[in-house]
Amino acid sequence: METFSKAMINYNKEGLNKETLIDLYKSMLKPRLIEEKMLILLRQGKISKWFSGIGQEAISVGVTKAMLAEEYILPMHRNLGVFTTREIPLYRLFSQWQGKASGFTKGRDRSFHFGTQEYKIVGMISHLGPQLGVADGIALASKLQNKNQVTAVFTGEGGTSEGDFHEALNVASVWQLPVLFCIENNGYGLSTPTSEQYNCKDLADRALGYGMESHIIDGNNILEVYTKVSALAEDIRENPRPVLLEFKTFRMRGHEEASGTKYVPQDLLDTWAKKDPLENYQEFLKNEGILDEALEVKFKEEIVHEINEHLDLAYAEEVIIASESEELNDVYQNHLYQEVSPNKKTEELRLVDAISEGLKQSMERHDDLVIMGQDVAEYGGVFKITDGFVEAFGKDRVRNTPICESAIVEAAMGLSISGIKSVVEMQFADFVTSGFNPVVNYLAKSHYRWNQNADVVLRMPCGAGVAAGPFHSQTNEAWFTKTPGLKVVYPAFPYDAKGLLASAINDPNPVLFFEHKALYRSIRQEVPTDYFTLPLGKASLLREGNDVTIISYGAAVHWALNTLDKHSNIQADVIDLRSLQPLDTEAIYASVKKTGRAIILQEDSLFGGIASDISALIMENCFEELDAPVKRVASMETPIPFINQLEDQYLSRDKFEGELLKLLAY
């Protein structure tokens, strides 16, 4: 065995002292012994699932040891060695896996799907790819704050097939971000071999296409991993840049234990078993006279004792008692609204000018606020909202991005993890589909999952009426009002837009801020010149009357007002919701109980739109006060057409008058 070990892995201990060599051994031994215990507990039904990293410990340990304690690591579900090397108390890990309160997610997520600011670890989500872009954001924060820090992020060879991988590498390269992209190439994505994942010899070669440095490292050689990554990290701190690392290794057990390894040829398993990173290194240390049998036994006994002691602590902890109020209260980070009253001096502004002015004043108020988006810098954005911002705030804070919505949303999340606010402009709200996953699965769920807020505003130019066709005209707010953890704001007037944008930026939760393109230059209003705020979740009562309650938002508010201008005899309460999540149900109920009739007007198509939920809420809470059925008015159940006569037919604008009169005549 001794000769074979030397032949399989060549160790070079040059420059490493005995203490370091032993420390690396103990750091690999610990996750291995924990895993062996977990596999027993899994068979006993004491944990629900396990993703084994046996055979890959050298990568997790070597990379983590090469990093500074204050540098972020974004691991995967096979990187137990990252968590143990960062010295997270084992009882907390065990409690996490048992769904107990001493874990990191209050029983809301499992295994390694968590992060911890205390240990500078940001865990994965099941979609794998988004954490790569999040690493970009953390690394960007390091550059902006002059921290000279490296961020390390892990993925498997299967994850490199996702678009997020390519977007994240491209952004990191364009912005020269200090990121170590660590690919654990372990042979299989679940049961799919590498030959069916990619068609190149080495994944490291992909770095060439992004103008990025890359290295191939023996992932089973702890000394090679530690020394090479240490040298790279030290250099990157001084010369910030991304580096792609491909660690050649193998997954010795199933994707997770239930899936097994029957699809893996036995000779392949046998070959890699001989390359076991722990056994080979242990043999090397013995041959070098650094480790002997007694010391090996001592280390194992110490770790086993620690495992059992901490398991007892986790077992002794009471199970979580479900609390509806606690669950609901943790969806958003608590935020105390701070009112800044408007000054008396005003100027007439278009909606587009009010948004621009509000954004500029927020940039002045928050001196690290970052704006990101396509063409937002020198060009000023396609709607010229950020025109002149580069001159005022510099390119570090006003950043043109590649066309990669997913990676930029993820980078915004990374900035938030590092304590920096950001505003991301979707060039058109329609394009958010290219970044949908990180919006609804990362931004929306992070605070609920592990108490990490997403301090991000997504600006969403939206809406029809400008003959822009199916891909530049959608008003897609209902995709997001459905998702707990997101806030949705949709102003109809310049005054509201300016004040609400300031509040959205102040709010530490993710906010989608919808801006109707057809209103940008068609609606004018007197707006206070200085910075001011308006509360999210408070509707505006634009007109008062006892005949009917009209509920709307965005451009449809103006359609409703124009209709009432034609019918001076109709005395209506007109509620401009302004904010769709949170929703001002109090204002809605009070009005409907007064008038006895309600009609909801939205630009979006009918089925699944927010009008449906508002209608249901009214029926459930105001039924006895109603004198007529609640009416919804919405656009056609088709995509949005281009040519004017088709778009006019599509929109609910011209349908509203007839439906309102029918309701009043009921």
Side-chain angles (χ1 to χ4, degrees):
M1 180 65 184
E2 178 182 322
T3 305
F4 191 75
S5 296
K6 287 182 177 179
M8 295 307 295
I9 299 179
N10 295 314
Y11 293 105
N12 180 359
K13 63 183 178 64
E14 184 179 348
L16 300 175
N17 58 34
K18 179 180 178 181
E19 290 73 20
T20 299
L21 294 169
I22 287 291
D23 184 50
L24 290 171
Y25 170 69
K26 290 171 65 178
S27 296
M28 280 202 297
L29 181 62
K30 191 171 188 176
R32 175 67 63 91
L33 294 177
I34 292 172
E35 281 223 46
E36 290 174 352
K37 183 68 172 181
M38 290 304 113
L39 294 176
I40 294 171
L41 296 180
L42 183 69
R43 288 192 289 272
Q44 294 174 344
K46 294 181 179 179
I47 57 173
S48 62
K49 207 174 187 70
W50 189 255
F51 295 88
S52 176
I54 287 177
Q56 298 180 205
E57 294 93 345
I59 305 170
S60 299
V61 171
V63 171
T64 307
K65 284 291 185 182
M67 304 284 286
L68 304 177
E70 62 271 21
E71 293 176 326
Y72 282 93
I73 302 178
L74 292 82
M76 294 279 282
H77 48 285
R78 267 178 250 291
N79 295 124
L80 173 59
V82 171
F83 297 86
T84 55
T85 304
R86 280 278 162 100
E87 299 184 348
I88 291 179
L90 295 188
Y91 79 90
R92 295 203 66 189
L93 289 177
F94 299 155
S95 293
Q96 170 68 20
W97 302 334
Q98 293 177 29
K100 292 187 174 180
S102 289
F104 295 88
T105 63
K106 299 184 181 180
R108 294 166 182 162
D109 213 336
R110 64 186 184 188
S111 64
F112 295 117
H113 292 205
F114 71 89
T116 160
Q117 286 282 9
E118 182 180 359
Y119 297 96
K120 293 295 183 283
I121 292 175
V122 179
M124 58 175 289
I125 68 170
S126 294
H127 299 71
L128 306 182
Q131 67 183 27
L132 297 156
V134 173
D136 282 351
I138 295 172
L140 174 59
S142 174
K143 284 191 73 170
L144 294 174
Q145 297 167 339
N146 297 311
K147 287 183 175 180
N148 300 112
Q149 292 178 354
V150 179
T151 300
V153 59
F154 287 84
T155 190
E157 83 289 336
T160 66
S161 298
E162 292 194 292
D164 299 78
F165 172 82
H166 301 276
E167 290 190 16
L169 262 63
N170 190 49
V171 170
S173 181
V174 170
W175 288 353
Q176 285 296 281
L177 300 177
V179 184
L180 284 169
F181 292 100
C182 303
I183 304 171
E184 293 181 295
N185 190 342
N186 62 19
Y188 285 84
L190 210 155
S191 69
T192 305
T194 54
S195 61
E196 296 176 26
Q197 282 285 357
Y198 57 87
N199 191 24
C200 57
K201 180 178 180 292
D202 298 304
L203 287 169
D205 292 341
R206 290 186 171 177
L208 292 171
Y210 299 106
M212 187 184 300
E213 177 184 344
S214 68
H215 300 270
I216 296 173
I217 296 176
D218 180 354
N220 286 31
N221 184 334
I222 182 62
L223 298 188
E224 183 177 337
V225 173
Y226 173 66
T227 56
K228 287 190 175 181
V229 175
S230 294
L232 281 167
E234 186 174 343
D235 190 46
I236 291 170
R237 292 180 193 113
E238 297 300 319
N239 306 289
R241 67 192 187 281
V243 175
L244 180 64
L245 302 177
E246 181 181 1
F247 296 96
K248 302 284 191 180
T249 185
F250 197 76
R251 174 161 56 73
M252 296 303 299
R253 302 190 68 86
H255 169 71
E256 38 80 31
E257 287 305 306
S259 64
T261 58
K262 289 184 179 179
Y263 47 84
V264 182
Q266 187 60 47
D267 61 339
L268 193 58
L269 283 170
D270 293 342
T271 297
W272 279 97
K274 296 172 185 175
K275 297 180 181 179
D276 184 287
L278 180 61
E279 292 181 4
N280 276 270
Y281 186 57
Q282 180 176 285
E283 197 69 26
F284 167 75
L285 293 179
K286 287 181 177 179
N287 292 335
E288 293 289 320
I290 296 170
L291 180 70
D292 58 27
E293 195 83 20
L295 198 55
E296 176 192 341
V297 171
K298 176 177 178 289
F299 291 154
K300 288 181 177 178
E301 287 178 345
E302 289 173 351
I303 294 171
V304 168
H305 176 74
E306 181 185 2
I307 290 170
N308 291 331
E309 182 182 26
H310 283 251
L311 272 173
D312 288 342
L313 286 173
Y315 286 143
E317 184 178 348
E318 295 295 325
V319 297
I320 287 176
I321 298 173
S323 165
E324 186 174 308
S325 61
E326 184 173 352
E327 290 298 285
L328 292 171
N329 288 337
D330 280 353
V331 174
Y332 299 97
Q333 179 175 320
N334 288 332
H335 171 58
L336 182 62
Y337 167 69
Q338 293 184 327
E339 182 176 359
V340 179
S341 299
N343 60 311
K344 293 183 179 179
K345 182 182 178 183
T346 65
E347 59 180 332
E348 187 179 75
L349 295 179
R350 301 170 299 176
L351 182 73
V352 68
D353 303 321
I355 293 169
S356 179
E357 189 174 272
L359 189 56
K360 184 174 184 180
Q361 290 174 356
S362 287
M363 290 285 283
E364 294 166 346
R365 194 174 187 88
H366 303 282
D367 58 11
D368 62 350
L369 175 64
V370 174
I371 296 173
M372 298 186 288
Q374 297 161 30
D375 308 299
V376 298
E378 291 85 354
Y379 189 69
V382 294
F383 299 106
K384 300 302 178 185
I385 284 175
T386 52
D387 193 21
F389 278 39
V390 167
E391 291 77 8
F393 306 110
K395 290 205 70 171
D396 276 352
R397 295 182 61 201
V398 184
R399 307 185 73 88
N400 279 337
T401 70
I403 300 177
C404 50
E405 286 81 4
S406 194
I408 299 307
V409 172
E410 292 154 12
M413 181 73 220
L415 287 174
S416 182
I417 288 169
S418 299
I420 295 178
K421 291 180 177 289
S422 63
V423 174
V424 175
E425 179 184 298
M426 291 289 152
Q427 198 166 75
F428 294 88
D430 313 64
F431 297 169
V432 75
T433 49
S434 295
F436 193 74
N437 177 33
V439 175
V440 301
N441 285 317
Y442 216 118
L443 301 190
K445 295 176 173 61
S446 288
H447 187 266
Y448 173 76
R449 288 172 52 245
W450 60 281
N451 201 37
Q452 174 58 57
N453 67 306
D455 200 345
V456 180
V457 174
L458 300 180
R459 289 187 42 245
M460 304 279 284
C462 65
V466 292
F471 305 119
H472 296 78
S473 306
Q474 295 174 86
T475 174
N476 45 20
E477 65 281 352
W479 298 349
F480 306 104
T481 54
K482 174 71 179 73
T483 305
L486 301 175
K487 296 188 177 183
V488 180
V489 179
Y490 203 146
F493 294 93
Y495 177 91
D496 293 337
K498 183 176 178 181
L500 290 169
L501 180 58
S503 295
I505 292 170
N506 291 340
D507 196 303
N509 296 286
V511 181
L512 286 96
F513 193 87
F514 284 83
E515 306 165 6
H516 202 289
K517 305 189 305 294
L519 301 183
Y520 269 155
R521 291 171 171 81
S522 64
I523 299 298
R524 296 173 177 268
Q525 191 180 33
E526 289 293 322
V527 180
T529 56
D530 291 348
Y531 178 93
F532 69 96
T533 62
L534 292 172
L536 306 187
K538 292 293 183 183
S540 176
L541 185 60
L542 301 179
R543 295 191 187 180
E544 293 188 58
N546 295 318
D547 296 341
V548 64
T549 298
I550 300 172
I551 303 163
S552 192
Y553 57 95
V557 170
H558 299 280
W559 304 343
L561 293 174
N562 291 339
T563 300
L564 290 178
D565 288 343
K566 293 165 58 179
H567 296 273
S568 58
N569 60 313
I570 300 176
Q571 302 301 306
D573 269 6
V574 179
I575 296 177
D576 176 5
L577 293 173
R578 301 195 298 187
S579 175
L580 308 182
Q581 182 60 262
L583 183 68
D584 192 350
T585 54
E586 184 178 336
I588 294 170
Y589 300 158
S591 175
V592 172
K593 288 177 180 179
K594 180 185 76 170
T595 66
R597 284 177 166 82
I599 185 168
I600 308 154
L601 174 62
Q602 68 182 29
E603 180 177 333
D604 193 12
S605 54
L606 185 63
F607 191 85
I610 194 171
S612 300
D613 278 291
I614 295 172
S615 174
L617 286 168
I618 292 171
M619 291 296 289
E620 290 168 4
N621 293 277
C622 308
F623 181 76
E624 293 184 356
E625 286 83 7
L626 287 173
D627 297 323
V630 178
K631 184 66 183 175
R632 298 171 297 152
V633 184
S635 297
M636 287 176 63
E637 298 290 327
T638 70
I640 305 173
F642 152 60
I643 199 67
N644 289 341
Q645 58 269 32
L646 296 180
E647 187 180 47
D648 290 343
Q649 174 183 258
Y650 164 85
L651 287 171
S652 55
R653 178 184 58 212
D654 297 334
K655 303 180 180 77
F656 177 68
E657 181 178 10
E659 296 299 333
L660 175 63
L661 294 175
K662 286 180 189 176
L663 179 64
L664 290 169
Y666 181 86

